[in-house]
Amino acid sequence: MTNVTSTVVRLKVSLLRNGLRQSAGRRAAFVASAVVALLFALLQLLGLLALRGHAHAEAVAVPGTAVLALGWAVMPLFFPSGDETLDPTRLVMLPLRPRPLVRALLAASLVGIGPLFTLLVLAGCALSVAHGTAGYVFSLVAVPLSLLVCVALARAVAAANVRLLTSRKGRDLAVLSGLVIAIGAQLVNFGAQRLGSAGLGQLQPVADVLSWVPPASAVGAVRAASEGSYGTALAQLAVSLAGSAALIALWSRNLTRLMTSPDGSTVQALDAGARDRTSSAGLRRLLPGGRTGTVMERTLRYIWRDPKTKAAWVTSLAIGLIVPVFNAVQGTGSIYFACFAAGMLGIQMYNQFGQDTSAFWMVALTISSARDAYAELRGRALALLVITLPYATLVTVLTTALLGAWARLPEVLGLSLALLGAMLATGAWTSARFPYSIPQEGHKNVAPGQAGLAWISIFGGMVAAALLCSPVIALTIWRYVTADGDAWSWVLLPVGALYGAGITWVGLRLAAPRTAVRLPEILTAVSKG
């Protein structure tokens, strides 16, 4: 059994070492990330130690431990390729029993920057509430036990979802990481503002509940032992111990199932193909006929299926909602922040042909004139409007409701529609004038050597869109400087809608002949990735 454990641990170390040997850039990135992570952990440790003796130290230490465990639970879902040993199906063909393999993989999980970071933060959480000999003795047990729960939780989640994580749809879960980070950052910001005004005492009820949830219950046991409540401390420690045992048992059962049951993904693929054909027929019935409907269907399917395109849309949808809504909830926002929704989704019109990558040659074969190019661009713009119009309207109405500024809804919605139209127009033109490739592998969104094109296309187009919106912006300003401007605020809604539609039509008309003429250059540019 010891040989299996030592072998798997050495395998983990070899994977790390061989990965660093691939390139100097990868070694530099690993060293930099390790230094930053350890420095951050040390700062967290010092900050938690500074809370010793504070009346609400437990209100920080206990929820902090729970947040760490939550991070260990979700990381395998968002970054399944971060640890090669998370996939036990790689070891299926080896003559190994699940129980010794669980011990070996558990030991291997303790090797890396993440476990060391977690250990330092957990030590700070435990020591911040520890007082007296009993508190320190319980800390010696609570810290490794909490780390064990975190690691076992990550392994149990990974084993339960390993079939999904190693599939194409499972890898698409990484798309949600940007959404979670964006929402999490806003929640942390919102919570920090509330705590800054009301103090840490607001977290005490949360800490009281979490002190009976593993692994936070282990830190709660340290606090209870420091206060002389040894019965409570032992009970809370037993809760964490039972939680770790349950997670390891769940992990072992899932591991046994993975190593003894066949993978039915090939059988499911047939059913998935039938479902795709059915959904395709249903979607096609809702779209217009001819080339316009075909282009719209293709664009919508790219948004749903292509990981890079889906990642861009998820991020834009998240930021377009988070910025206005969170600022409105905090009472510090402006109703014009609702325009973020139209602006973020309007960006998706930029580099339309680059999103197709090398597959654009099949589209290029169908474009022989400016009329064909116009039909192609119009179909792509309409596909974007299917999502952006209702979404921008919903965000604007929601922001207006949160701020209670219903009288200004028409002007803000009209300005959003004008901005959306301007971005569709400039996006179509820059797609033809400054196309660039989007690599399908890795996390880069621009092929090497094309960063300048991307900057000109996106930021130059956004500046041009702002200039194109200047008539509607000027009309909005006029409403405020005119004595009876409030009576005419409703005019901005139809004006903005008509102006956005008109500028979109003009932009597509101007971009179509340029697209037809520059097809060879566009095809070369988008195929470099």
Side-chain angles (χ1 to χ4, degrees):
M1 303 305 177
T2 306
N3 291 335
V4 174
T5 301
S6 61
T7 300
V8 175
V9 171
R10 287 198 302 270
L11 175 62
K12 175 68 174 290
V13 175
S14 298
L15 288 172
L16 292 174
R17 183 173 60 249
N18 294 336
L20 296 177
R21 287 176 177 175
Q22 292 182 4
S23 66
R26 188 163 184 172
R27 288 193 296 271
F30 178 82
V31 172
S33 61
V35 170
V36 171
L38 293 179
L39 285 177
F40 184 72
L42 290 174
L43 290 175
Q44 293 291 313
L45 175 61
L46 294 176
L48 289 167
L49 291 178
L51 287 176
R52 284 175 52 82
H54 194 280
H56 299 294
E58 183 185 12
V60 176
V62 173
T65 305
V67 170
L68 273 177
L70 180 63
W72 276 86
V74 301
M75 281 301 176
L77 297 177
F78 291 146
F79 305 102
S81 59
D83 186 354
E84 296 292 337
T85 60
L86 280 175
D87 185 5
T89 58
R90 298 173 182 266
L91 308 174
V92 167
M93 301 303 295
L94 299 178
L96 298 173
R97 293 183 178 274
R99 183 169 295 179
L101 186 58
V102 165
R103 285 195 290 266
L105 292 176
L106 188 62
S109 299
L110 299 175
V111 178
I113 302 173
L116 180 58
F117 174 89
T118 305
L119 182 64
L120 291 174
V121 178
L122 288 174
C125 291
L127 293 176
S128 65
V129 297
H131 301 283
T133 303
Y136 292 117
V137 171
F138 269 77
S139 296
L140 294 176
V141 180
V143 172
L145 181 58
S146 299
L147 180 61
L148 178 65
V149 173
C150 291
V151 174
L153 178 60
R155 287 291 181 176
V157 171
N161 297 278
V162 67
R163 299 293 190 194
L164 173 66
L165 296 177
T166 53
S167 65
R168 181 185 65 83
K169 291 185 178 180
R171 287 190 294 270
D172 287 350
L173 281 173
V175 169
L176 298 177
S177 60
L179 176 61
V180 171
I181 292 172
I183 295 177
Q186 289 294 329
L187 289 175
V188 169
N189 180 42
F190 182 68
Q193 290 183 2
R194 288 297 182 90
L195 291 176
S197 60
L200 296 175
Q202 284 192 337
L203 288 178
Q204 193 59 50
V206 178
D208 292 339
V209 175
L210 292 177
S211 62
W212 291 97
V213 178
S217 59
V219 177
V222 176
R223 176 60 182 269
S226 300
E227 295 176 346
S229 303
Y230 301 115
T232 302
L234 289 173
Q236 290 175 324
L237 209 60
V239 168
S240 286
L241 188 62
S244 65
L247 288 172
I248 292 175
L250 177 63
W251 176 22
S252 179
R253 186 175 66 181
N254 289 329
L255 194 61
T256 303
R257 177 176 53 82
L258 287 171
M259 299 181 72
T260 57
S261 60
D263 183 7
S265 59
T266 55
V267 177
Q268 295 171 359
L270 298 175
D271 296 335
R275 288 194 301 269
D276 285 347
R277 288 190 294 271
T278 303
S279 62
S280 176
L283 177 62
R284 194 176 295 114
R285 284 196 296 268
L286 300 176
L287 300 176
R291 177 167 186 151
T292 299
T294 303
V295 174
M296 290 180 66
E297 181 181 359
R298 179 190 351 119
T299 303
L300 293 173
R301 289 197 178 278
Y302 274 175
I303 294 172
W304 179 251
R305 291 182 174 182
D306 181 64
K308 285 294 182 70
T309 306
K310 185 187 293 185
W313 273 91
V314 168
T315 303
S316 296
L317 288 169
I319 297 177
L321 176 66
I322 288 172
V323 170
V325 169
F326 272 76
N327 280 280
V329 170
Q330 295 176 29
T332 59
S334 167
I335 191 173
Y336 292 103
F337 280 172
C339 295
F340 262 93
M344 291 304 301
L345 295 188
I347 293 176
Q348 304 309 315
M349 187 63 186
Y350 291 82
N351 195 35
Q352 274 293 305
F353 307 129
Q355 297 176 18
D356 296 354
T357 63
S358 58
F360 178 68
W361 71 269
M362 292 187 292
V363 177
L365 291 176
T366 66
I367 299 176
S368 59
S369 64
R371 182 176 182 178
D372 294 336
Y374 175 74
E376 177 71 24
L377 290 170
R378 182 182 59 188
R380 293 175 183 244
L382 289 175
L384 267 63
L385 287 174
V386 169
I387 302 174
T388 53
L389 273 179
Y391 181 79
T393 303
L394 176 63
V395 172
T396 304
V397 172
L398 180 59
T399 306
T400 303
L402 292 173
L403 294 174
W406 292 105
R408 297 162 68 182
L409 174 62
E411 64 183 79
V412 177
L413 186 55
L415 186 59
S416 295
L417 296 177
L419 175 62
L420 179 59
M423 297 197 74
L424 291 177
T426 56
W429 191 85
T430 57
S431 294
R433 183 63 183 83
F434 303 107
Y436 59 91
S437 178
I438 301 177
Q440 292 301 294
E441 300 297 332
H443 299 284
K444 294 182 178 180
N445 291 320
V446 182
Q450 294 185 328
L453 285 174
W455 279 89
I456 294 174
S457 174
I458 297 177
F459 291 99
M462 291 172 65
V463 171
L467 293 175
L468 289 176
C469 282
S470 56
V472 182
I473 296 174
L475 186 60
T476 304
I477 297 174
W478 172 83
R479 188 193 76 80
Y480 283 98
V481 299
T482 305
D484 58 345
D486 291 340
W488 295 96
S489 62
W490 64 271
V491 176
L492 285 167
L493 177 55
V495 168
L498 292 175
Y499 183 82
I503 201 67
T504 300
W505 180 82
V506 172
L508 295 177
R509 283 294 182 185
L510 293 177
R514 183 172 292 272
T515 301
V517 171
R518 300 191 73 249
L519 269 181
E521 292 87 346
I522 296 174
L523 185 58
T524 302
V526 302
S527 301
K528 287 185 177 181

